[in-house]
């Protein structure tokens, strides 16, 4: 029995020797073996490799909900890898984390995307760094804090627009945290037909045929 065990072990080792580093790397990601992942990265593995399902290491970490693995991978991933989509379904790591209900991983990916965006910005423009800008309302009634990512409103009804968009038929994810409020905050989605209106206005998302609004305080949804 002892001799048989040694023979099987030797056979497994020989089998590992014939495999590529990429295959070993993706398997380690799928099984959550973070130390092995670190070792393979140090050995120069191709971190852009994909498995038979067309998924990268980040897709695997996001779908399986492994924050320790994702943290290690994000440290060595550039924007192209972070934004890479699956070969089937065109899902990014962010989409997979959101669809799987892994909120902590969603925040990790968004934080990394923001870091990359800030690094590329020259000169820094707060509204562009955060990917938001005033779309409807009085200029000067909104203050953007680039260090915290907060947007502060006062004095007038204003609508902010994200510069990010989702192509027709594709999936998107957007997260908003309301830190404090003194009235009724609202949010929504808009199509290309939503016109910008600078100046005093009470028209927000949901007030025309090109947008849909949600009021979480009064628990209302509307679409003209």
């Amino acid at each position: 029995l002892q001799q048989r065990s040694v023979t099987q072990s030797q056979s497994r080792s020989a089998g590992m020797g014939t495999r590529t580093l990429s295959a070993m790397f993706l398997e380690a990601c799928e099984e959550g073996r973070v130390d092995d992942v670190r070792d393979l990265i140090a050995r120069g593995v191709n971190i852009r490799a994909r498995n038979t399902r067309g998924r990268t290491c980040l897709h695997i970490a996001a779908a399986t909900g492994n924050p320790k693995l994702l943290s290690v991978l994000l440290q060595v991933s550039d924007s192209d890898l972070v934004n890479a989509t699956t070969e089937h379904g065109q899902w990014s790591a962010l989409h997979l984390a959101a669809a799987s209900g892994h909120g902590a991983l969603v925040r990790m990916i968004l934080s990394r995307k923001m870091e990359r965006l800030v690094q590329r910005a020259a000169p820094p423009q707060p509204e562009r760094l955060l990917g938001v800008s005033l779309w409807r309302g009085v200029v000067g009634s909104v203050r953007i804090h680039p260090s915290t990512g907060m947007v502060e409103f006062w004095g007038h009804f204003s609508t902010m627009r994200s510069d990010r968009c989702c192509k027709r038929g594709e999936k998107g994810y957007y997260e908003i945290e309301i830190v404090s409020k003194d009235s009724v905050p609202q949010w929504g989605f808009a199509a290309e037909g939503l016109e910008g209106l600078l100046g005093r206005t009470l028209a927000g998302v949901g007030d025309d045929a090109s947008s849909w609004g949600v009021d979480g305080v009064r628990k209302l949804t509307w679409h003209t």
Side-chain angles (χ1 to χ4, degrees), residues 25 37 41 50 79 95 98 102 108 114 140 171 193 207 220:
F25 173 66
V37 169
I41 291 174
R50 293 175 180 261
S79 297
H95 293 150
H102 303 312
M108 289 172 64
M114 183 62 70
K171 302 177 179 66
D207 292 319
L220 298 173

Side-chain angles (χ1 to χ4, degrees), residues 135 161 165 168 190-195 210 212:
W135 191 242
R161 182 189 72 162
C165 64
R168 182 176 299 178
E192 294 178 343
L194 183 66
E195 297 182 355
S210 298
W212 296 259

